[in-house]
Amino acid sequence: MSGLEDLYREIILDHYRTPRNRGKLETPPAHKVEGFNPLCGDEITVYVDTDGDRVTDVRIDGQGCSISQASASMMTNAIKGRSFAEISDLTRAFKSMMSIHENELGGDDGREPEPGSEESVPADEVKLGDLEALRGVVKFPVRIKCATLAWNTLAQAIDEARADDGAPTGSS
Amino acid sequence: MTTTAELDVAAVKADFPIFDRCCDPERPLVFLDSAASSQKPRQVIEAMSEFYETTYANVHRGVYRIAEAATNRMEGARRTVAGFIGAPRPEEIIFTKNATEALNLVARSWGGANLGPGDAVVLTQMEHHANIVPWQILAAEKGFEIRWIPVRPDGHLDLSNLDRLLDGAAMMSVTAMSNVLGTIPPLGSMIAAARAAGALVTLDACQYVPHLPTDVSSLDADFIAFSGHKMLGPTGVGVLWGRTELLEAMPPFLGGGGMILDVTQEGFRADAIPAKFEAGTPPITEIVGLAAAIEYLDGLGMDRVRRHEVSLTAYALRTLTERLGDRLTIHGPSEPADRGGVLSLDLAGVHPHDLSQVLDQHNVCVRPGHHCAKPLMRVLGVGATARASLYVYNDESDVDALADALVDAGEFFAF
């Protein structure tokens, strides 16, 4: 079964079998966003607590394949306690590894930002750590949506949190 | 048609070029995704090429010879389709883009003219989204009620309250074979109950017409929808059969060229059926291909096709259960006579998406997902299944390859 080991690295199966930060957070104060992959039926719910400029806690609920679940689990480890800016860099780096370059994450016209033109760190300089294990997904293009589901849902949750933080009522 | 001889699968397979020419020279293609779309025999591919190369022109109204010949081929195909499903009149065959469009036509045209507040449409919990969403879109506009015939855990419909569900209903629109469970409902008694309640009947026969002998007269439904590409024909063509008196009373669906008698600044007069429902240039070559597919299936004999699939489904249920044991759940009825060759699989501890990925490494093609039947997925309590589906070119070796691959997947993900 050549190729499968590239996709299903041991650390991925470990996160699938023993997902980290699984569960729910109380809403409010947490922000909750549901993400769907309409192609395969995967559903994921991301809960984030924020303190105005960083994610202080995160939980994942829902169901999905090993790639979507492992990516979500690794993501929670990678982002907990990180600033929105750091998470934005990490997200862009992760998507870059998945061969996705999106303008909504700081680039223009779908390209990565020019070096030095933005404050964000270039994608190839961001340390992905365990997330590197998901690099093999690129060889299986239909699975890229599985790997990015949690990240897209997280981005939406952070957007909502920031929008709320910008509101006059303020937050904790 | 009534020969008792079994299907010669090796000879059938040899008619399908993809099994010789696709992807992996090392391993044979084990194609178990015909419920999504079937492969095409040489006879269909060649009929379409031949038509393009010798006869192609737009249909109707052309006075030159190939235009007339193309029109004759298309109208001949309409008669072929009518004969295949026992339709009393070829004009009752409406060519659509696919079965989805055919079902939307019924909902929009018949439903739009006949449904309102206080009315009800009865569906089952095992419908494909194509037989749910068109009714939901219309219900939001017209304010009628949608009622659901439940599915039991064993994959059969729970018909214990059918009469109550049908009470006051104007339409019962149901699948003739579930695309997830393979369940073939007791159509005769259900349709009789609908008749007794005064409801019309639409059958989503996408999974039925390609696999079982179909006779619209004895089925006694009012509308039947199916697609060409699941029955060895090309994509881009589907069929709606409807009773003449209903089709004639219904308003047009899509407007445009080909469906009118006259157009003025003030309005239009619709043409007679089938033209009234065939606005725009039809999928002419695809219709020719569909007729070739029907001739191919007729050559095999639909009785024989059905017997082959019952026998192969029985072998699959037995083999997979023996090889995988309790670890494998096969959703749907356990009796092959009550079902088609659609096997929705759930291997404990392996998500269907991952399972299908491992199976692909064996060149075994199955489909993971909700199969456009999310209400049914919720009833089954699963997010997705891996679906293997059988057709005329499959035999026991395909089932064995599936079983081997499932065992391998179970070992790969063992924990």
Side-chain angles (χ1 to χ4, degrees), chain B residues 79-364:
Chain B
R79 290 190 293 277
T80 302
V81 174
F84 189 64
I85 62 169
R89 304 176 58 195
E91 307 89 86
E92 295 178 336
I93 301 297
I94 313 293
F95 288 119
T96 61
K97 177 173 72 178
N98 48 33
T100 295
E101 186 180 285
L103 290 164
N104 275 270
L105 192 166
V106 175
R108 180 57 53 181
S109 175
W110 178 86
N114 291 284
L115 295 174
D119 288 323
V121 171
V122 177
L123 311 176
T124 80
Q125 288 178 330
M126 62 183 187
E127 297 310 314
H128 188 285
H129 296 164
N131 193 29
I132 298 174
V133 180
W135 299 109
Q136 289 176 328
I137 292 172
L138 194 66
E141 284 175 31
K142 301 282 182 180
F144 60 87
E145 179 192 359
I146 295 176
R147 299 176 189 162
W148 301 86
I149 300 172
V151 174
R152 301 192 314 220
D154 64 2
H156 288 286
L157 294 176
D158 175 357
L159 298 170
S160 54
N161 286 317
L162 182 61
D163 288 341
R164 194 166 54 79
L165 288 169
L166 285 168
D167 186 22
M171 171 64 78
M172 179 179 81
S173 187
V174 296
T175 182
M177 182 200 290
S178 163
N179 71 312
V180 176
L181 303 172
T183 312
I184 301 172
L187 297 171
S189 61
M190 289 173 68
I191 292 170
R195 287 261 170 270
L200 297 186
V201 177
T202 301
L203 294 181
D204 172 0
C206 273
Q207 304 291 341
Y208 189 95
V209 170
H211 301 281
L212 289 92
T214 305
D215 180 58
V216 299
S217 302
S218 58
L219 276 171
D220 196 31
D222 297 292
F223 299 102
I224 292 181
F226 56 100
S227 54
H229 70 96
K230 294 187 203 294
M231 51 189 293
L232 311 182
T235 54
V237 59
V239 174
L240 175 68
W241 170 82
R243 291 185 190 280
T244 296
E245 61 273 24
L246 291 169
L247 293 172
E248 286 182 340
M250 284 156 55
F253 173 46
L254 301 175
M259 50 73 72
I260 53 89
L261 283 176
D262 191 21
V263 181
T264 65
Q265 288 184 215
E266 287 71 39
F268 73 96
R269 283 175 61 204
D271 202 346
I273 61 166
K276 178 168 76 173
F277 293 109
E278 294 182 352
T281 295
I284 306 163
T285 310
E286 288 73 15
I287 290 169
V288 168
L290 174 59
I294 286 174
E295 283 159 13
Y296 186 87
L297 285 169
D298 258 339
L300 301 180
M302 288 308 294
D303 288 321
R304 208 184 307 174
V305 168
R306 173 60 181 157
R307 278 200 305 278
H308 167 71
E309 290 181 19
V310 169
S311 155
L312 191 55
T313 301
Y315 178 78
L317 292 171
R318 193 168 64 241
T319 303
L320 297 178
T321 303
E322 280 171 11
R323 295 283 304 277
L324 281 303
D326 292 342
R327 208 169 158 194
L328 184 73
T329 302
I330 305 174
H331 296 287
S334 54
E335 277 302 310
D338 299 338
R339 55 151 42 249
V342 178
L343 306 169
S344 261
L345 309 174
D346 192 345
L347 188 61
V350 188
H351 188 277
H353 218 160
D354 296 313
L355 180 60
S356 304
Q357 192 89 59
V358 178
L359 265 49
D360 175 59
Q361 298 293 308
H362 293 257
N363 221 10
V364 174

Side-chain angles (χ1 to χ4, degrees), chain A residues 1-5 7-8 13 16-17 36 38-43 63-67 140 142-143 146, chain B residues 349-351 353-355 357-358 360-362 368-370 374 378 381-384 408-409 412-415:
Chain A
M1 294 206 296
S2 63
L4 269 195
E5 286 76 8
L7 182 61
Y8 296 115
L13 296 178
Y16 178 46
R17 292 161 187 165
F36 296 90
L39 289 175
C40 60
D42 285 2
E43 299 173 2
Q63 55 169 0
C65 68
S66 63
I67 302 301
F140 300 84
V142 295
R143 307 302 296 275
C146 308
Chain B
V350 188
H351 188 277
H353 218 160
D354 296 313
L355 180 60
Q357 192 89 59
V358 178
D360 175 59
Q361 298 293 308
H362 293 257
H370 52 64
K374 288 198 83 169
R378 292 195 168 91
V382 299
D408 191 36
F412 187 84
F413 283 99
F415 58 88

Side-chain angles (χ1 to χ4, degrees), chain A:
Chain A
M1 294 206 296
S2 63
L4 269 195
E5 286 76 8
D6 287 342
L7 182 61
Y8 296 115
R9 304 275 299 276
E10 189 49 47
I11 191 164
I12 292 175
L13 296 178
D14 176 63
H15 276 268
Y16 178 46
R17 292 161 187 165
T18 318
R20 323 297 200 262
N21 299 300
R22 179 95 191 157
K24 301 176 180 175
L25 293 172
E26 190 182 342
T27 55
H31 288 271
K32 168 190 172 186
V33 172
E34 293 177 329
F36 296 90
N37 182 345
L39 289 175
C40 60
D42 285 2
E43 299 173 2
I44 206 163
T45 307
V46 174
Y47 297 81
V48 290
D49 277 333
T50 59
D51 69 357
D53 65 358
R54 66 183 57 239
V55 169
T56 53
D57 205 356
V58 57
R59 290 287 186 281
I60 301 288
D61 202 13
Q63 55 169 0
C65 68
S66 63
I67 302 301
S68 74
Q69 296 296 293
S71 180
S73 173
M74 292 179 184
M75 178 188 82
T76 62
N77 274 356
I79 66 154
K80 200 190 275 193
R82 305 283 282 276
S83 71
F84 295 152
E86 288 173 316
I87 292 171
S88 174
D89 288 341
L90 191 65
T91 302
R92 200 177 60 254
F94 181 75
K95 290 199 167 188
S96 173
M97 184 173 80
M98 292 292 126
S99 301
I100 299 170
H101 307 282
E102 289 181 352
N103 53 14
E104 73 203 34
L105 294 164
D108 52 7
D109 303 319
R111 294 167 183 275
E112 287 181 77
E114 293 295 318
S117 68
E118 303 264 344
E119 288 181 28
S120 56
V121 180
D124 56 5
E125 291 177 20
V126 176
K127 297 274 189 296
L128 284 166
D130 286 357
L131 290 161
E132 287 279 354
L134 286 161
R135 187 176 292 280
V137 171
V138 176
K139 291 187 202 162
F140 300 84
V142 295
R143 307 302 296 275
I144 291 174
K145 279 189 192 308
C146 308
T148 54
L149 176 61
W151 294 84
N152 290 331
T153 311
L154 172 72
Q156 202 184 332
I158 290 177
D159 282 350
E160 290 187 10
R162 297 178 81 162
D164 278 6
D165 288 345
T169 50
S171 69
S172 59

